[in-house]
Amino acid sequence: MYVCRSFGVLLSPRRLLGSLRRLFYIRPTSIFFPQTRNSSSITTVKEREKLRETMNSVITGNFKPAFFPSQLSKNSARFLFRPFTTLVFTRSLTAKVRAFVETKPTAPIVVEKEESGGGSGSGSCGLACPICYNPLTVISDSPIYVGSTVGSNLQCNTCKKTYSGTQTHLDLVASSGSKQYDESMPLATELFRTPVVSFLYERGWRQNFVFGGFPGPEKEFDMAKNYLKRVLGGKIVDASCGSGMFTRLFAKSGLFSQVIALDYSENMLRQCYEFIEQDENFPKEKVTLVRADISRLPFESSSIDAVHAGAALHCWPSPSTAVAEISRVLRPGGVFVATTYIVDGPFTFLPFVNTFRQNMMGIAGSYFAVSERELEDLCRTCGLVGFTCMRNGPFVMISARKRSS
């Protein structure tokens, strides 16, 4: 049977068995299994060895070199009658394993060092107009790092709009400077703009996140660093920074040349400023506090190395708009890391549950993911690749990067 599978039309099984039986006067099982100990015709080791050599010479003489090697080893008969599929499978598996081992990891991104946005005097500051996305220039002598933004003025040379800074932060929302116009944000966003929630956020509010699986700021920071290894030394934005827990950790770690703490809440930025002022050895020259809308980031396209958003994605009114903006400002190969909740369970597959969730998100202005695939699809549709995530109950940390050019 194996001879026919491997060598096709050379000999039929019946004719082959008949020829070999007449030649050696033995049973067919002795031919296919020459090492068997039950053969009555072969009684000594020498006779068995002589039989193998005779078989090798006869078989190799009958087969053409195109189908069989010209020089065979002592175990040629065993090789001849081995199933052909075994050889093909072994060779294929070896090739796959070899390809996996030899795959080289993606080389780290070389981050070009730029001057920090904390410089004084006229010139580029690394920020952009939230209206036209063209660079802003400093038109005053005040530096723009934390604690020195009061009196700072930045101007867009394209739309000629001027943005000013307060004692605590730079105001770079699109409606900055308006006197008559005012607009309110969704409930979830307005809640964090209140002085009470801003004061309590780091004094008990954030600590309750452990019941949702959040391991704590320090542990989350260590987890985020693993995703950010490829962009160390660059510029990072701590989006929706709140009172600045991760902003302070990033700045004091020295892993990045500049840290931009960004939030829409003025009171959260004031709390961030106060915590920084209380730390005597804090590197203020590396940090800039900016009030901005996550859906209208005040940065040039492809100018940021990393964006971090801790426990924030579920608070954004439109996560797709926000992630699209993050994708726009990231450099090729830049990294986006975020933590949020996943509200999954046995009832999430019911049709009315998804409709109820959509209605609640419209009223509250917050977003709740129901699966990891939903978050992956969000990143993919916004131009990010390499999605990964880690779960701990409802808690999830996701990471994606902008495609390298």
Side-chain angles (χ1 to χ4, degrees):
M1 182 182 298
Y2 293 110
V3 174
C4 292
R5 285 183 180 178
S6 303
F7 301 99
V9 297
L10 294 177
L11 284 175
S12 64
R14 181 177 299 178
R15 295 181 63 183
L16 177 64
L17 290 175
S19 300
L20 294 177
R21 289 179 64 182
R22 287 192 298 270
L23 179 63
F24 299 109
Y25 301 101
I26 57 177
R27 291 196 302 266
T29 53
S30 301
I31 299 172
F32 287 98
F33 305 98
Q35 293 181 348
T36 180
R37 299 178 182 271
N38 298 326
S39 176
S40 58
S41 303
I42 306 172
T43 57
T44 63
V45 176
K46 287 185 177 181
E47 289 178 353
R48 286 199 295 269
E49 289 293 332
K50 185 176 181 180
L51 175 61
R52 286 198 194 97
E53 294 176 1
T54 306
M55 289 175 61
N56 291 340
S57 60
V58 172
I59 294 173
T60 54
N62 291 335
F63 291 131
K64 295 180 180 180
F67 293 93
F68 203 80
S70 58
Q71 294 181 353
L72 297 176
S73 62
K74 180 182 287 188
N75 297 325
S76 302
R78 190 185 307 172
F79 173 83
L80 172 65
F81 299 107
R82 185 182 299 172
F84 181 61
T85 52
T86 303
L87 296 176
V88 175
F89 173 77
T90 305
R91 192 174 300 141
S92 255
L93 180 61
T94 306
K96 289 181 180 179
V97 173
R98 187 182 297 116
F100 176 78
V101 172
E102 293 179 355
T103 300
K104 296 181 180 180
T106 305
I109 295 176
V110 179
V111 179
E112 296 181 1
K113 296 291 185 68
E114 295 183 354
E115 293 185 2
S116 172
S120 61
S122 178
S124 175
C125 62
L127 299 171
C129 175
I131 298 175
C132 63
Y133 296 137
N134 285 316
L136 293 174
T137 56
V138 181
I139 57 175
S140 64
D141 294 331
S142 300
I144 61 172
Y145 57 78
V146 62
S148 303
T149 54
V150 59
S152 298
N153 290 314
L154 296 87
Q155 187 178 54
C156 175
N157 295 326
T158 303
C159 59
K160 304 301 180 183
K161 182 173 179 176
T162 301
Y163 301 88
S164 60
T166 65
Q167 181 182 3
T168 58
H169 61 273
L170 297 170
D171 196 347
L172 296 181
V173 295
S175 60
S176 176
S178 60
K179 298 179 180 179
Q180 301 296 325
Y181 175 77
D182 191 18
E183 64 180 358
S184 60
M185 298 294 284
L187 179 62
T189 304
E190 291 296 331
L191 180 65
F192 289 99
R193 294 183 68 186
T194 61
V196 175
V197 174
S198 300
F199 179 82
L200 295 175
Y201 185 77
E202 205 165 330
R203 298 177 175 90
W205 182 294
R206 185 57 162 79
Q207 286 75 1
N208 291 323
F209 285 19
V210 295
F211 298 106
F214 280 71
E218 288 77 13
K219 179 61 177 178
E220 294 169 41
F221 174 70
D222 291 336
M223 294 167 62
K225 285 193 299 185
N226 293 328
Y227 291 118
L228 297 170
K229 288 180 179 179
R230 53 189 292 127
V231 291
L232 295 181
K235 185 188 301 183
I236 186 171
V237 174
D238 188 17
S240 298
C241 64
S243 57
M245 288 187 300
F246 292 100
T247 299
R248 302 195 298 273
L249 290 172
F250 281 123
K252 295 173 73 173
S253 68
L255 298 175
F256 295 90
S257 60
Q258 184 181 4
V259 181
I260 300 175
L262 185 144
D263 204 285
Y264 190 79
S265 171
E266 308 92 324
N267 287 304
M268 281 292 189
L269 291 171
R270 292 190 185 102
Q271 289 296 320
C272 182
Y273 171 79
E274 291 179 5
F275 282 120
I276 291 176
E277 286 293 316
Q278 294 171 8
D279 194 336
E280 297 180 355
N281 299 320
F282 189 84
K284 298 180 181 180
E285 68 282 355
K286 289 188 175 182
V287 180
T288 303
L289 305 185
V290 176
R291 179 177 179 247
D293 189 349
I294 190 65
S295 61
R296 202 76 184 174
L297 294 175
F299 308 111
E300 296 180 72
S301 299
S302 303
S303 63
I304 302 298
D305 300 293
V307 175
H308 171 266
L313 194 148
H314 52 271
C315 298
W316 296 341
S318 176
S320 61
T321 305
V323 177
E325 268 293 275
I326 291 172
S327 179
R328 179 188 66 83
V329 303
L330 282 176
R331 298 181 188 272
V335 179
F336 170 53
V337 179
T339 57
T340 185
Y341 290 103
I342 288 185
V343 186
D344 53 2
F347 301 104
T348 55
F349 298 100
L350 298 178
F352 70 88
V353 173
N354 192 39
T355 303
F356 176 77
R357 179 177 69 111
Q358 295 290 342
N359 293 333
M360 290 302 297
M361 288 192 299
I363 296 172
S366 57
Y367 166 80
F368 295 99
V370 295
S371 68
E372 299 171 12
R373 291 183 178 180
E374 187 175 348
L375 294 172
E376 181 178 5
D377 191 48
L378 170 65
C379 293
R380 180 185 57 80
T381 54
C382 293
L384 300 178
V385 298
F387 177 88
T388 58
C389 69
M390 289 188 291
R391 287 287 303 270
N392 182 29
F395 165 82
V396 61
M397 174 174 282
I398 65 172
S399 173
R401 69 181 186 276
K402 189 172 181 178
R403 192 184 303 274
S404 300
S405 56

PDB file of all heavy atoms in Angstrom, residues 6 21 46 76 116 136 198 237 253 263 282 327 336:
ATOM      1  N   SER A   6       3.498   6.153  -2.517  1.00  0.00           N
ATOM      2  CA  SER A   6       4.703   6.950  -2.687  1.00  0.00           C
ATOM      3  C   SER A   6       5.216   6.955  -4.103  1.00  0.00           C
ATOM      4  O   SER A   6       5.768   7.948  -4.572  1.00  0.00           O
ATOM      5  CB  SER A   6       5.813   6.423  -1.766  1.00  0.00           C
ATOM      6  OG  SER A   6       5.375   6.436  -0.437  1.00  0.00           O
ATOM      7  N   ARG A  21       7.939 -12.767  -2.565  1.00  0.00           N
ATOM      8  CA  ARG A  21       7.761 -14.068  -1.922  1.00  0.00           C
ATOM      9  C   ARG A  21       8.486 -15.164  -2.698  1.00  0.00           C
ATOM     10  O   ARG A  21       9.096 -16.071  -2.117  1.00  0.00           O
ATOM     11  CB  ARG A  21       6.279 -14.396  -1.817  1.00  0.00           C
ATOM     12  CG  ARG A  21       5.541 -13.525  -0.790  1.00  0.00           C
ATOM     13  CD  ARG A  21       4.068 -13.874  -0.741  1.00  0.00           C
ATOM     14  NE  ARG A  21       3.888 -15.255  -0.267  1.00  0.00           N
ATOM     15  CZ  ARG A  21       2.700 -15.836  -0.158  1.00  0.00           C
ATOM     16  NH1 ARG A  21       1.605 -15.179  -0.533  1.00  0.00           N
ATOM     17  NH2 ARG A  21       2.592 -17.072   0.280  1.00  0.00           N
ATOM     18  N   LYS A  46      22.666 -12.572  11.503  1.00  0.00           N
ATOM     19  CA  LYS A  46      23.380 -12.492  10.238  1.00  0.00           C
ATOM     20  C   LYS A  46      22.433 -12.686   9.058  1.00  0.00           C
ATOM     21  O   LYS A  46      22.538 -12.021   8.029  1.00  0.00           O
ATOM     22  CB  LYS A  46      24.492 -13.535  10.180  1.00  0.00           C
ATOM     23  CG  LYS A  46      25.675 -13.211  11.070  1.00  0.00           C
ATOM     24  CD  LYS A  46      26.787 -14.228  10.861  1.00  0.00           C
ATOM     25  CE  LYS A  46      28.009 -13.884  11.697  1.00  0.00           C
ATOM     26  NZ  LYS A  46      29.119 -14.835  11.494  1.00  0.00           N
ATOM     27  N   SER A  76      17.514   1.716   4.567  1.00  0.00           N
ATOM     28  CA  SER A  76      16.807   2.212   3.391  1.00  0.00           C
ATOM     29  C   SER A  76      15.441   1.589   3.252  1.00  0.00           C
ATOM     30  O   SER A  76      14.485   2.234   2.821  1.00  0.00           O
ATOM     31  CB  SER A  76      17.618   1.927   2.132  1.00  0.00           C
ATOM     32  OG  SER A  76      18.877   2.525   2.231  1.00  0.00           O
ATOM     33  N   SER A 116      11.815  71.424  25.173  1.00  0.00           N
ATOM     34  CA  SER A 116      10.585  71.368  25.937  1.00  0.00           C
ATOM     35  C   SER A 116       9.766  72.613  25.714  1.00  0.00           C
ATOM     36  O   SER A 116      10.262  73.690  25.411  1.00  0.00           O
ATOM     37  CB  SER A 116      10.919  71.231  27.432  1.00  0.00           C
ATOM     38  OG  SER A 116       9.768  71.353  28.214  1.00  0.00           O
ATOM     39  N   LEU A 136       1.287  77.296  17.563  1.00  0.00           N
ATOM     40  CA  LEU A 136       1.159  78.521  18.348  1.00  0.00           C
ATOM     41  C   LEU A 136       2.549  79.031  18.698  1.00  0.00           C
ATOM     42  O   LEU A 136       3.479  78.249  18.894  1.00  0.00           O
ATOM     43  CB  LEU A 136       0.375  78.256  19.630  1.00  0.00           C
ATOM     44  CG  LEU A 136      -1.105  77.895  19.485  1.00  0.00           C
ATOM     45  CD1 LEU A 136      -1.695  77.513  20.846  1.00  0.00           C
ATOM     46  CD2 LEU A 136      -1.893  79.042  18.877  1.00  0.00           C
ATOM     47  N   SER A 198     -13.810  67.499  42.127  1.00  0.00           N
ATOM     48  CA  SER A 198     -12.381  67.710  41.868  1.00  0.00           C
ATOM     49  C   SER A 198     -11.565  67.602  43.152  1.00  0.00           C
ATOM     50  O   SER A 198     -10.459  67.056  43.158  1.00  0.00           O
ATOM     51  CB  SER A 198     -12.170  69.085  41.229  1.00  0.00           C
ATOM     52  OG  SER A 198     -12.864  69.179  40.005  1.00  0.00           O
ATOM     53  N   VAL A 237       1.361  62.873  26.528  1.00  0.00           N
ATOM     54  CA  VAL A 237       0.189  63.626  26.960  1.00  0.00           C
ATOM     55  C   VAL A 237      -0.602  62.748  27.915  1.00  0.00           C
ATOM     56  O   VAL A 237      -0.993  61.630  27.562  1.00  0.00           O
ATOM     57  CB  VAL A 237      -0.688  64.042  25.760  1.00  0.00           C
ATOM     58  CG1 VAL A 237      -1.977  64.697  26.250  1.00  0.00           C
ATOM     59  CG2 VAL A 237       0.075  64.992  24.846  1.00  0.00           C
ATOM     60  N   SER A 253       9.372  60.141  37.123  1.00  0.00           N
ATOM     61  CA  SER A 253      10.109  58.970  36.651  1.00  0.00           C
ATOM     62  C   SER A 253      11.268  59.344  35.738  1.00  0.00           C
ATOM     63  O   SER A 253      12.220  58.576  35.608  1.00  0.00           O
ATOM     64  CB  SER A 253       9.157  58.029  35.909  1.00  0.00           C
ATOM     65  OG  SER A 253       8.717  58.609  34.689  1.00  0.00           O
ATOM     66  N   ASP A 263      -6.755  68.339  30.596  1.00  0.00           N
ATOM     67  CA  ASP A 263      -8.085  68.039  31.103  1.00  0.00           C
ATOM     68  C   ASP A 263      -9.019  69.179  30.717  1.00  0.00           C
ATOM     69  O   ASP A 263      -8.577  70.310  30.492  1.00  0.00           O
ATOM     70  CB  ASP A 263      -8.066  67.852  32.622  1.00  0.00           C
ATOM     71  CG  ASP A 263      -9.227  67.003  33.120  1.00  0.00           C
ATOM     72  OD1 ASP A 263     -10.364  67.508  33.160  1.00  0.00           O
ATOM     73  OD2 ASP A 263      -8.988  65.824  33.436  1.00  0.00           O
ATOM     74  N   PHE A 282       9.684  68.487  42.853  1.00  0.00           N
ATOM     75  CA  PHE A 282       9.012  68.129  41.611  1.00  0.00           C
ATOM     76  C   PHE A 282       9.656  68.860  40.427  1.00  0.00           C
ATOM     77  O   PHE A 282       9.903  70.069  40.500  1.00  0.00           O
ATOM     78  CB  PHE A 282       7.532  68.496  41.692  1.00  0.00           C
ATOM     79  CG  PHE A 282       6.714  67.971  40.554  1.00  0.00           C
ATOM     80  CD1 PHE A 282       6.223  66.681  40.567  1.00  0.00           C
ATOM     81  CD2 PHE A 282       6.449  68.758  39.442  1.00  0.00           C
ATOM     82  CE1 PHE A 282       5.468  66.188  39.521  1.00  0.00           C
ATOM     83  CE2 PHE A 282       5.695  68.280  38.388  1.00  0.00           C
ATOM     84  CZ  PHE A 282       5.213  66.988  38.431  1.00  0.00           C
ATOM     85  N   SER A 327      -5.163  59.565  17.399  1.00  0.00           N
ATOM     86  CA  SER A 327      -4.456  59.000  16.250  1.00  0.00           C
ATOM     87  C   SER A 327      -3.846  60.092  15.383  1.00  0.00           C
ATOM     88  O   SER A 327      -2.750  59.922  14.839  1.00  0.00           O
ATOM     89  CB  SER A 327      -5.423  58.141  15.431  1.00  0.00           C
ATOM     90  OG  SER A 327      -4.783  57.602  14.298  1.00  0.00           O
ATOM     91  N   PHE A 336      -0.732  54.627  22.225  1.00  0.00           N
ATOM     92  CA  PHE A 336      -1.895  55.043  23.001  1.00  0.00           C
ATOM     93  C   PHE A 336      -2.186  53.980  24.047  1.00  0.00           C
ATOM     94  O   PHE A 336      -2.334  52.801  23.726  1.00  0.00           O
ATOM     95  CB  PHE A 336      -3.106  55.226  22.080  1.00  0.00           C
ATOM     96  CG  PHE A 336      -4.418  55.416  22.810  1.00  0.00           C
ATOM     97  CD1 PHE A 336      -4.547  56.392  23.792  1.00  0.00           C
ATOM     98  CD2 PHE A 336      -5.516  54.624  22.512  1.00  0.00           C
ATOM     99  CE1 PHE A 336      -5.744  56.573  24.465  1.00  0.00           C
ATOM    100  CE2 PHE A 336      -6.723  54.801  23.171  1.00  0.00           C
ATOM    101  CZ  PHE A 336      -6.837  55.779  24.158  1.00  0.00           C
TER     102      PHE A 336
END
